């Protein structure tokens, strides 16, 4: 069965550094999403992306965050200057129609 | 705004016993509802979804859920728990209008299955 693939599985970064989280959505999917889960808390929506533009973003997704689909297969989340509170598990999801969304295994981001 | 409340952050059952995980939602528009399961060190896997067709929805691994509008509930059940069901379960709600729609998740319920 096709899967959403995320790399790396674990990223350790110094505070203030830029980080790029990578995702390869399922190949025929058109809608793309990023969510995050801070340890012990809910999974929270960050951003959705369709037709090469952001469809919706949460208040968490401030100017430090950006998303890009640089080619036909990758979908990336960039955090420009990381903060300690950015430490979380980040999930990429994709969907062919709006629902259902298929999730990757996540990237655990640790900010030191 | 939409929200989900999952009653019980931890549920423990014996193998072979009924599993009941509770989910109540709040939505100002007709909702779509989902249950996802997360095994340790893995992503979220869709168990089942309600998208305004039948109110009793069957999913993978013997799970099912019933949409009850009058109770604003979407509880997840399984008649007989198996050790492999031990995981964390998340209920989520989304709007029914078209476009890229976010999922709003509950806090999750960790299910333990005892031998």
């Amino acid at each position: 069965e096709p899967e959403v693939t995320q790399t790396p599985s674990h990223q350790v970064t110094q505070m203030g550094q830029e980080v790029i989280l990578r995702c390869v959505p399922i190949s025929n999917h058109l809608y793309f999403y990023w969510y995050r889960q801070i340890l012990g808390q809910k999974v929270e929506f960050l951003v959705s992306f369709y037709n090469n533009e952001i469809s919706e973003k949460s208040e968490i997704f401030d100017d430090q965050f950006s998303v890009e689909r640089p080619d036909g297969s990758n979908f990336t989340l960039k955090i420009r200057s990381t903060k300690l509170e950015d430490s979380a598990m980040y999930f990429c999801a994709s969907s062919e129609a709006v629902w259902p969304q298929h999730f990757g295994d996540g990237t655990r981001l640790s900010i030191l | 705004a939409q929200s989900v409340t999952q009653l019980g952050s931890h549920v423990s059952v014996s193998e072979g016993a009924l599993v009941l995980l509770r989910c109540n939602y709040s939505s100002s528009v007709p909702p779509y509802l989902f249950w996802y399961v997360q095994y340790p060190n893995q992503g979220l896997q869709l168990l089942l979804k309600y998208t305004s067709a039948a109110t009793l929805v069957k999913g993978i691994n013997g799970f099912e859920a019933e949409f009850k509008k009058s109770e604003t509930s979407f509880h997840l059940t399984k008649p007989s728990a198996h050790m492999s069901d031990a995981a964390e379960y998340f209920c989520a709600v989304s709007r029914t209008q078209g476009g890229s729609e976010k999922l709003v998740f509950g806090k999750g319920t960790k299910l333990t299955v005892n031998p």
Side-chain angles (χ1 to χ4, degrees):
Chain A
E1 186 174 325
E3 292 181 343
V4 175
T5 306
Q6 290 186 243
T7 55
S9 57
H10 192 190
Q11 173 81 45
V12 182
T13 302
Q14 293 288 332
M15 187 172 60
Q17 295 295 305
E18 175 183 286
V19 67
I20 297 175
L21 308 182
R22 302 182 190 279
C23 170
V24 179
I26 296 172
S27 63
N28 63 333
H29 285 189
L30 302 175
Y31 299 84
F32 312 108
Y33 310 84
W34 284 101
Y35 292 81
R36 79 172 186 190
Q37 185 181 28
I38 295 173
L39 189 63
Q41 297 186 25
K42 291 184 184 186
V43 176
E44 302 172 287
F45 169 78
L46 291 178
V47 66
S48 58
F49 192 86
Y50 171 71
N51 202 25
N52 283 320
E53 60 183 25
I54 290 174
S55 306
E56 187 176 357
K57 59 183 181 179
S58 72
E59 59 273 14
I60 302 168
F61 194 89
D62 61 22
D63 292 344
Q64 293 300 314
F65 290 87
S66 62
V67 289
E68 195 177 33
R69 188 155 162 82
D71 52 41
S73 59
N74 290 284
F75 181 51
T76 61
L77 174 70
K78 183 193 290 186
I79 308 175
R80 193 173 326 162
S81 177
T82 50
K83 307 182 189 73
L84 291 175
E85 55 265 36
D86 294 327
S87 294
M89 181 73 91
Y90 287 79
F91 292 106
C92 174
S94 70
S95 59
E96 182 179 5
V98 178
W99 304 276
Q101 296 174 21
H102 298 262
F103 284 76
D105 284 348
T107 292
R108 182 170 298 283
L109 178 62
S110 300
I111 307 300
L112 304 179
Chain B
Q2 297 181 299
S3 66
V4 169
T5 302
Q6 290 184 241
L7 292 173
S9 57
H10 288 84
V11 169
S12 183
V13 300
S14 298
E15 192 173 17
L18 171 72
V19 175
L20 170 61
L21 305 181
R22 298 178 187 276
C23 171
N24 288 90
Y25 69 91
S26 172
S27 179
S28 56
V29 298
Y32 281 3
L33 293 156
F34 306 83
W35 276 99
Y36 282 84
V37 60
Q38 185 180 30
Y39 298 101
N41 300 315
Q42 293 188 25
L44 298 163
Q45 181 183 2
L46 181 68
L47 267 182
L48 50 79
K49 63 184 187 290
Y50 166 75
T51 53
S52 72
T55 56
L56 182 62
V57 180
K58 294 188 185 299
I60 62 171
N61 301 338
F63 284 93
E64 62 182 38
E66 186 171 9
F67 172 69
K68 291 188 177 179
K69 185 178 177 181
S70 60
E71 299 177 9
T72 61
S73 69
F74 190 58
H75 302 329
L76 182 70
T77 60
K78 182 173 180 178
S80 176
H82 193 271
M83 298 294 291
S84 60
D85 295 327
E88 189 151 21
Y89 292 80
F90 294 90
C91 182
V93 64
S94 183
R95 294 177 295 187
T96 56
Q97 285 91 344
S100 301
E101 293 293 358
K102 65 183 180 184
L103 290 169
V104 175
F105 284 88
K107 287 188 174 181
T109 298
K110 192 166 187 178
L111 176 67
T112 302
V113 182
N114 302 307

